[in-house]
Amino acid sequence: MQKYKTIEDKVKVILTSQTDTRDDDMKFYLCVCRYCQPSIGTMPFETVMTQCRSLGIPCFESVRRIRQKLQAQNPELIGTARVKKL
């Protein structure tokens, strides 16, 4: 997979290629973290949370805002009808 430079590019790639992440914020964030740091699944949770910057993992809130912006601009990136209602 091609590596993208900005968080927005990464978020758009994941929303486009992994449609199941559109309905689940935590699953989506995990995919973003794995995209930025492939070895994240082997690290203890505490390490990930305390060293996120040095690992190159974007802040959850930044990712959430970018996802929200992209979904507002691109309705096809919104999740299922059930999630749209919420």
Side-chain angles (χ1 to χ4, degrees), residues 51-86:
Q51 298 179 17
C52 59
R53 273 194 191 199
S54 63
L55 293 170
I57 299 168
C59 171
F60 180 82
E61 187 61 19
S62 297
V63 171
R64 185 200 63 77
R65 287 181 185 151
I66 292 168
R67 177 188 50 85
Q68 185 177 16
K69 175 185 155 192
L70 285 172
Q71 287 177 327
Q73 294 171 345
N74 304 284
E76 69 275 7
L77 298 178
I78 296 174
T80 62
R82 182 184 65 78
V83 173
K84 288 178 190 177
K85 278 185 182 179
L86 297 174

Side-chain angles (χ1 to χ4, degrees), residues 17-55:
S17 63
Q18 298 182 27
T19 57
D20 60 322
T21 62
R22 297 176 189 174
D23 291 342
D24 187 333
D25 289 341
M26 295 310 290
K27 190 175 194 177
F28 173 69
Y29 186 61
L30 177 60
C31 287
V32 172
C33 291
R34 282 186 180 149
Y35 187 85
C36 296
Q37 181 59 253
S39 64
I40 200 161
T42 62
M43 296 178 193
F45 182 72
E46 184 176 353
T47 302
V48 173
M49 292 291 100
T50 58
Q51 298 179 17
C52 59
R53 273 194 191 199
S54 63
L55 293 170

Side-chain angles (χ1 to χ4, degrees), residues 4-12 32 58-59 62-63 66:
Y4 292 87
K5 293 183 180 181
T6 67
I7 297 171
E8 186 170 339
D9 290 338
K10 294 171 187 176
V11 167
K12 190 167 188 175
V32 172
C59 171
S62 297
V63 171
I66 292 168

